[in-house]
Every structure is written in structure tokens, then in C-alpha cells.
Amino acid sequence: MNRAHLVRPRRVWSGLALGLLGAGLFALWTATWRPAAGIAGVALMLLGAGVAWRGGILYDTRGSHDPHGSPGASQELADLARNRVHRGTAPGDMVIDPRLRAEAAATNRRTAALIRASEATPRPTFDTAAAALLLGAAIALVAIQGVYPHTTTGQSNGLRSLLLAVVIALSALRLLVGQRPGRAPSAIAGLCGVVLIACALLVDHDRPVTVGLEIGIGAWVVLMALLSLDRPPRVERARQDTAAHAPRGPRRARTWPENVRIMVVSLLIGATALAVGGLARRLSALIGRTTR
């Protein structure tokens, strides 16, 4: 770096203080229109700028003991108290430290490798997002239980949609937490969506709004079931190859904790669905009584 670009802290801070004082006087002139305050403010700002420029404020980009960044407040106060002069940095200065050059070259190589890896990475798949949206469709079926009227036909339709919601939720959970879920959960969820649409079109309903909701949610379930089939084939193939070439040891039931977790979560979702359905029915009945 150029040794001629020196930074003198006392001059820099003195110039800054003069500039701030001049700015205050100039602001006083704009408020009171006193010529003396305006002239003094402009003079102090120019004087402060000159002192700070001579002190090297344009080159004060690094601290005296921190070559990789600006110093802290304590270090800055110590430099000011001791008037510690240090070298600054001007545009065009080059780093000549071999260690820093080696670090920069290594960083460039890592960046180039990451760029090449990102270009070779396949596009993200839709299986996880589709499974989450399937779970959202099951929750929506539970949430619309209060729309079904309190008649034999309405409650039969509501119970059927609630059972389909439980099956769809179980399939979505299998897709979300299963290591190798396969295509069966997607097929089951898609079949539930088709059944929901068919029942909406073929079975009697008391309210047209329930027909529209069942058709819409059923179409959504079928679409998400198809999207859940979009999975990373390379990752699955690599897992299969790794499992095939792995050394065989004593067999253990690896899927038992996973199955227990899925069963517990499914039971909780089913219980929550039943509770929400019962609450919705009670609220609907209460609203019906108050409107009569």
C-alpha cells in the first residue's frame, strides 16, 4: 500500500467537529436569517472540511490494528487520545500480503466450484410441497363440517367427507415423514379426491355450496396427488445403490419408530378432526336456534 496516505485521528475528528458546528450555525441562519450565523456556519464547514481532508479522512477506511475492517469505538478513542498515525487506503491500492492473496484465490476457486455445482443441480421437485398441500386439503375438509346442514343427508355427507379427510391426511403424512413412501400414498390420496368428486356429483345434497366445496377440494386433492409423484430419481437411485452395496449386518426393525410416530400423529389428527367437526356442528346448531 502507499505509505504517503497517512491518517491523523486528531485532525480528522477536529475537522469533523468544526464541520458539525458550522452545520449547526448554518441551520440557525436558515431559521433566523441572521447573516452572521450563516457566514460563520459556511466558514466553519469549509474550515472543518479542509482540516479533515488534511488529516486523511478520505483514506481512513481501516483501523490501525484491524487490517480486515474498521476498528471498534474503544480502539478509535485510543487512537484519538494517543494521536496514533496509521496508513490509509486510497483507490487503486493493492494488497501485497501473500497470505491474503492465497485466501482470495481459494475463495475464488470455491465460488467457481459452487457455480458449477449449481448449474449441474437438477430442478427442485414438488413432492414435499404437494404433500403439505394435501394435508392442507384434509384440514379444509375438516373445517367445512359446519357447512353441512343438520339433516340425515347433510350429516351423512359430512361424515363421508370427514373420513376421506382422515385418509388424505394419513397419505400426506406418509409422504412427508416416510423415507421411501412409494407411489401408494399418492394413489390413495388421488382416489380419495376422485371419490369426493363422484359423491358430490352423484349423491344427494341439501345445499349447493357443499357440492361446490367438495368438487373444488376433490380436484385440488387429485392435482396434488399427481404432483406428489414428482420425486428426485437420482436421489432415490443413489439411496438404493448405497443400500445394496452397504455391508449387511444384523437386521433391525428400522421402520418401527417411524411407524409409531406416524400412527401417533395420525391419531392426533383424527381426534382433532372429530373435535373440530363436533364443535362446528354445535356452533351451527346454536346459530340455527338463535336465528329461528
Side-chain angles (χ1 to χ4, degrees):
M1 297 182 182
N2 193 345
R3 296 178 179 273
H5 300 144
L6 298 179
V7 178
R8 297 174 173 82
R10 290 184 179 177
R11 292 186 183 181
V12 170
W13 286 101
S14 298
L16 180 61
L18 290 174
L20 292 176
L21 180 60
L25 291 176
F26 189 79
L28 179 63
W29 171 72
T30 58
T32 60
W33 298 106
R34 295 180 180 178
I39 295 173
V42 172
L44 286 177
M45 283 192 291
L46 293 176
L47 179 62
V51 172
W53 177 70
R54 292 293 298 174
I57 192 174
L58 298 179
Y59 311 117
D60 190 13
T61 57
R62 291 187 178 184
S64 57
H65 297 289
D66 189 4
H68 299 288
S70 60
S74 60
Q75 185 63 49
E76 191 69 34
L77 291 175
D79 291 344
L80 179 63
R82 301 175 183 177
N83 196 22
R84 186 180 296 150
V85 179
H86 59 273
R87 287 180 295 165
T89 305
D93 288 347
M94 303 296 293
V95 176
I96 58 176
D97 190 352
R99 182 177 59 84
L100 296 180
R101 286 179 176 271
E103 290 181 1
T107 302
N108 290 334
R109 288 193 295 269
R110 286 195 298 270
T111 303
L114 290 174
I115 292 175
R116 289 193 299 268
S118 64
E119 292 175 353
T121 301
R123 65 170 179 82
T125 56
F126 299 103
D127 53 346
T128 304
L133 293 175
L134 276 176
L135 189 59
I139 296 174
L141 282 175
V142 175
I144 66 171
Q145 292 298 309
V147 181
Y148 291 98
H150 289 273
T151 60
T152 303
T153 302
Q155 293 305 304
S156 298
N157 295 330
L159 181 60
R160 182 179 57 253
S161 64
L162 187 62
L163 293 176
L164 291 175
V166 173
V167 177
I168 293 171
L170 292 175
S171 302
L173 288 174
R174 178 61 181 171
L175 292 172
L176 285 173
V177 302
Q179 294 182 355
R180 297 180 183 177
R183 301 180 184 273
S186 301
I188 294 173
L191 181 61
C192 290
V194 172
V195 171
L196 190 62
I197 296 175
C199 291
L201 296 175
L202 301 177
V203 180
D204 293 335
H205 286 72
D206 293 334
R207 293 179 181 177
V209 64
T210 57
V211 178
L213 288 174
E214 289 182 359
I215 293 175
I217 297 176
W220 181 261
V221 169
V222 172
L223 179 60
M224 291 303 107
L226 292 175
L227 287 179
S228 65
L229 296 174
D230 183 28
R231 299 168 188 172
R234 296 182 181 179
V235 176
E236 291 181 358
R237 214 174 284 125
R239 289 178 179 175
Q240 293 175 0
D241 295 340
T242 304
H245 294 87
R248 295 185 178 180
R251 292 186 177 180
R252 296 187 306 172
R254 296 183 179 179
T255 58
W256 174 249
E258 176 188 347
N259 292 333
V260 172
R261 185 170 65 251
I262 294 175
M263 182 177 65
V264 171
V265 174
S266 302
L267 291 175
L268 290 176
I269 289 180
T272 305
L274 292 175
V276 172
L279 180 61
R281 291 176 184 176
R282 292 185 179 181
L283 289 176
S284 179
L286 181 61
I287 293 173
R289 292 174 184 175
T290 55
T291 54
R292 290 178 184 177

